[in-house]
Amino acid sequence: MAITKDTIINDIKTTMETILVANGYHTDVGQKVWEGRDTVFKENEVPALNIKEIEDTTQDVEMQGAYNVFEQIMQIEIEMVTNGASTTSEIREIEADVDKAIGTNQTWSGNAIKTDSVTTVVNYADQNENKVIGKTRIINVHYRKTAWEEN
């Protein structure tokens, strides 16, 4: 049986990969979607998205029949990265595309209860002489699992 967190993160990645101009978005950032990447982005690898799980906490414990059910909140970062030579309007278009994509699938194919936006952080960086501009959207994904099981 698949682990719920993995299923949700895979669904977030798949949803972000639909961000293409051909699908009605502003950009084609869906062509370069990473998961958990911690290395420097090269110029030919941007614009890109990078999805990272940063925290998973138990919010509530409920009784459902004979089982305890945990309500989990998984905090996810969706990093949006583009070349520093690009205009700030491009990063805003990417941000709008990410928001639109999240709006199409807020329960991640029924594996989550809901998704909340926490904040967006603007990032400017010099990665090995490569100037990059980006934003990081932080979201909370609420889901339930049977207590003490790996799902």
Side-chain angles (χ1 to χ4, degrees), residues 19-66:
I19 300 175
L20 303 169
V21 172
N23 292 337
Y25 290 93
H26 298 286
T27 69
D28 285 321
V29 74
Q31 293 176 342
K32 296 175 184 165
V33 180
W34 304 85
E35 181 191 337
R37 181 174 174 154
D38 286 326
T39 58
V40 173
F41 283 93
K42 297 177 183 153
E43 192 169 338
N44 66 341
E45 295 177 322
V46 296
L49 300 175
N50 186 26
I51 301 160
K52 293 181 180 180
E53 175 190 353
I54 54 176
E55 187 174 52
D56 192 27
T57 59
T58 302
Q59 183 69 24
D60 292 315
V61 179
E62 299 177 6
M63 284 295 294
Q64 289 188 354

Side-chain angles (χ1 to χ4, degrees), residues 33-135:
V33 180
W34 304 85
E35 181 191 337
R37 181 174 174 154
D38 286 326
T39 58
V40 173
F41 283 93
K42 297 177 183 153
E43 192 169 338
N44 66 341
E45 295 177 322
V46 296
L49 300 175
N50 186 26
I51 301 160
K52 293 181 180 180
E53 175 190 353
I54 54 176
E55 187 174 52
D56 192 27
T57 59
T58 302
Q59 183 69 24
D60 292 315
V61 179
E62 299 177 6
M63 284 295 294
Q64 289 188 354
Y67 299 98
N68 284 331
V69 175
F70 287 165
E71 182 170 321
Q72 298 292 120
I73 299 176
M74 180 171 43
Q75 197 162 73
I76 303 283
E77 287 183 345
I78 302 173
E79 296 176 321
M80 302 165 257
V81 183
T82 191
N83 186 311
S86 299
T87 64
T88 54
S89 64
E90 180 180 16
I91 201 66
R92 289 186 192 116
E93 287 177 341
I94 293 169
E95 179 183 21
D97 287 346
V98 166
D99 288 347
K100 180 179 176 181
I102 291 169
T104 67
N105 195 4
Q106 295 177 55
T107 63
W108 310 111
S109 301
N111 293 297
I113 301 164
K114 66 178 181 173
T115 300
D116 299 324
S117 176
V118 177
T119 191
T120 303
V121 179
V122 179
N123 310 302
Y124 297 94
D126 186 352
Q127 297 182 347
N128 296 340
E129 305 299 321
N130 183 27
K131 304 263 188 238
V132 296
I133 183 173
K135 289 190 172 190

Side-chain angles (χ1 to χ4, degrees), residues 22 96 137 140:
R137 163 78 71 221
N140 282 340

Side-chain angles (χ1 to χ4, degrees), residues 1-4 6-7 146 149-151:
M1 185 165 116
I3 296 173
T4 303
D6 287 343
T7 303
T146 302
E149 288 188 7
E150 68 178 24
N151 63 346

